[in-house]
Amino acid sequence: MSVITIVGAAFSHKSAVIQEVSATSGYRTVDVNEIMAAASKTSGMSEAKIMAAFSAKTSVFNRFTHEKERSIAHLRLALANILKDDQLLITGPVSFLIPEKITHILRVCLVAEIKYRLNVAMQRHGLSDKAAHQQIRQQDEDLAALLKMLERGEDPWASTLYDIVLPMDKTSPAEAAALIIDKAQSDVVARTPHSLNILDDVLLAAQVEVKLAQEGHNVGVDAHKGQITLTINKNVLMLSRLEEELKSIVEKVPGVAGAVTKVGEKFYQPDIYRKYDFEVPSKVLLVDDERDFVQTLSERLIMRDMGSAVAYDGESALTMIQDEEPEVMILDLKMPGIDGIEVLRQVKATNPDIEVIVLTGHGTDKDRDICMELGAFAFLQKPVDIQLLSQTLIKANQKVHSKKKRG
């Protein structure tokens, strides 16, 4: 039997169609939550972070953490393992992660004219016109960003992405379900020895991609009968060294017969290959109103492969903490608005796992005592030696990761 995937535009009766297909066909429904849970288990990342892979918004730290790419790698592995079964109904944008070369997949899109969808949103879901427009726009942006990342275009409703596109303003959920079930029984999308061999390749590629991600690498992976092709899409100064490191990792994965590397089309663009270094902090938030100082410090940390973002006041810092979840914060005390001590107090109350290094040019012994009592990791004075600061950051990072392992 084949596998059905359904991607539905907002307010296009997706839930009703899925329920009808499941009830009528006996196919097991697999939603994004099941796949996220499996990906979270293999990656050690929270389901919330895994879910962020489907958002158009990308963390300012992502070029150092590769969290989005690592999430995708583990989602692909979870999907490849699930696809060993048949009679599956996979719903939502996670289906875009299934390679097109797997032939026993019936890919379905549910859409409708925008006026119809807005009417459904307002009359059946009680949304205002503005809220309905916002939800539709946000879904389009999120899906477009995911497709762009996967190099599959930027139009989530392009007919070339699907086998069937159903206009739900002209089709009832029952009619849509009947058509989907009928097409799923076609020989064109039947499981064959050839399609199952391709699935084996996809599973091996996903296992390799996850292994590389665990070692901090982000490259394209393809598999064919045990042979792995690795595509490097970002420029690197010592290419041969990177190639040897990648091959040494990949060739240890069970089932791999050999590995070759190549540079991709994007290799020659001005973007640097960065391996995720687990030994140094990759999510450092710098909070200081001295703009020249903090920008220079950020650049110095980036040169040492430490990912950093900047906030120029306490209010902005507290907002960024909720959005970006930094691991370590470097915090000045004297700032307009909320001062550093109050920021430290609030951070430790709401996000106690963030390690805070106070770095100030005006701190007193009393300030030091207050900060350490509030839970600061260290109290340093400006001007600071960059080597001392780097060592302190690494120690703070070690404490962060040791707490994660215990947790």
Side-chain angles (χ1 to χ4, degrees):
M1 299 291 287
S2 62
V3 171
I4 301 169
T5 68
I6 296 180
V7 176
F11 312 114
S12 292
H13 308 303
K14 175 185 169 184
S15 296
V17 173
I18 290 170
Q19 186 175 6
E20 187 75 22
V21 171
S22 179
T24 307
S25 68
Y27 275 45
R28 182 173 80 84
T29 301
V30 180
D31 65 13
V32 68
N33 293 319
E34 178 180 342
I35 299 166
M36 276 198 308
S40 176
K41 186 175 181 179
T42 60
S43 68
M45 299 167 65
S46 69
E47 291 187 25
K49 286 186 178 179
I50 298 288
M51 191 64 184
F54 298 106
S55 170
K57 183 179 179 181
T58 300
S59 168
V60 296
F61 299 114
N62 194 70
R63 68 186 180 119
F64 289 91
T65 64
H66 304 320
E67 277 187 350
K68 203 164 218 179
E69 293 80 2
R70 285 191 287 143
S71 295
I72 293 294
H74 286 275
L75 285 165
R76 281 194 176 115
L77 179 59
L79 262 173
N81 280 313
I82 287 171
L83 286 170
K84 293 176 184 177
D85 297 332
D86 61 3
Q87 288 189 279
L88 300 174
L89 174 58
I90 299 176
T91 66
V94 70
S95 61
F96 287 137
L97 302 182
I98 302 174
E100 295 176 88
K101 61 184 179 181
I102 300 179
T103 57
H104 60 270
I105 310 290
L106 178 69
R107 295 170 171 84
V108 179
C109 175
L110 309 178
V111 294
E113 293 291 339
I114 186 67
K115 289 183 179 179
Y116 179 86
R117 294 161 62 194
L118 289 171
N119 185 59
V120 170
M122 290 185 286
Q123 291 194 7
R124 300 191 185 183
H125 298 272
L127 296 180
S128 67
D129 180 75
K130 181 179 179 180
H133 270 98
Q134 185 176 5
Q135 282 198 30
I136 291 169
R137 183 173 61 252
Q138 188 63 59
Q139 182 195 38
D140 287 352
E141 289 176 358
D142 289 343
L143 291 178
L146 177 62
L147 286 171
K148 184 177 181 180
M149 181 180 179
L150 299 174
E151 299 182 350
R152 298 187 61 184
E154 296 183 50
D155 180 5
W157 315 119
S159 60
T160 53
L161 295 172
Y162 308 98
D163 300 304
I164 306 175
V165 178
L166 294 175
M168 296 308 298
D169 48 345
K170 302 177 179 68
T171 311
S172 71
E175 291 171 335
L179 180 59
I180 292 168
I181 294 168
D182 178 62
K183 296 299 182 183
Q185 295 171 349
S186 169
D187 290 341
V188 176
V189 290
R191 288 166 71 95
T192 65
H194 176 67
S195 71
L196 293 177
N197 286 338
I198 293 174
L199 180 55
D200 288 339
D201 288 338
V202 169
L203 177 57
L204 181 59
Q207 292 168 340
V208 168
E209 188 176 1
V210 162
K211 182 60 178 176
L212 288 170
Q214 290 170 339
E215 297 292 333
H217 291 288
N218 174 36
V219 297
V221 181
D222 191 41
H224 180 65
K225 296 181 179 179
Q227 297 292 327
I228 303 296
T229 300
L230 306 171
T231 303
I232 302 167
N233 276 314
K234 291 187 178 180
N235 212 325
V236 62
L237 295 177
M238 302 185 72
L239 179 59
S240 59
R241 179 179 293 182
L242 174 61
E243 289 176 320
E244 290 305 313
E245 182 177 351
L246 293 174
K247 288 178 185 177
S248 68
I249 295 169
V250 169
E251 289 171 353
K252 295 175 185 176
V253 177
V256 172
V260 297
T261 60
K262 67 177 184 178
V263 297
E265 294 180 359
K266 297 180 181 179
F267 181 80
Y268 298 100
Q269 295 181 7
D271 198 359
I272 302 298
Y273 186 94
R274 291 186 184 275
K275 177 183 176 182
Y276 177 40
D277 190 342
F278 295 91
E279 302 301 319
V280 299
S282 54
K283 299 173 74 173
V284 181
L285 178 59
L286 310 179
V287 188
D288 198 313
D289 65 330
E290 295 182 47
R291 291 178 178 258
D292 289 342
F293 167 78
V294 77
Q295 286 289 354
T296 300
L297 178 57
S298 176
E299 291 168 6
R300 294 290 296 275
L301 293 179
I302 289 172
M303 288 174 63
R304 292 168 180 248
D305 285 333
M306 299 185 194
S308 64
V310 174
Y312 298 111
D313 57 72
E315 292 88 345
S316 300
L318 293 172
T319 299
M320 287 189 72
I321 285 170
Q322 300 306 316
D323 294 340
E324 301 290 350
E325 298 182 359
E327 297 163 331
V328 183
M329 174 188 289
I330 297 177
L331 177 65
D332 187 24
L333 291 185
K334 305 298 182 182
M335 295 182 295
I338 302 177
D339 66 16
I341 289 178
E342 181 57 27
V343 171
L344 173 61
R345 182 178 287 110
Q346 292 192 34
V347 168
K348 284 300 177 181
T350 59
N351 301 79
D353 290 337
I354 297 175
E355 294 301 330
V356 181
I357 299 169
V358 175
L359 178 59
T360 180
H362 309 284
T364 65
D365 289 342
K366 182 179 179 181
D367 290 330
R368 175 189 175 88
D369 292 342
I370 292 173
C371 289
M372 299 310 290
E373 287 175 6
L374 288 172
F377 180 81
F379 189 96
L380 304 178
Q381 294 280 355
K382 295 178 182 175
V384 67
D385 178 73
I386 189 65
Q387 187 67 23
L388 172 61
L389 180 58
S390 296
Q391 291 173 351
T392 307
L393 281 164
I394 290 171
K395 290 177 182 176
N397 184 63
Q398 290 171 344
K399 184 177 179 181
V400 169
H401 287 281
S402 65
K403 285 193 291 186
K404 286 182 179 178
K405 289 179 181 178
R406 291 197 301 269

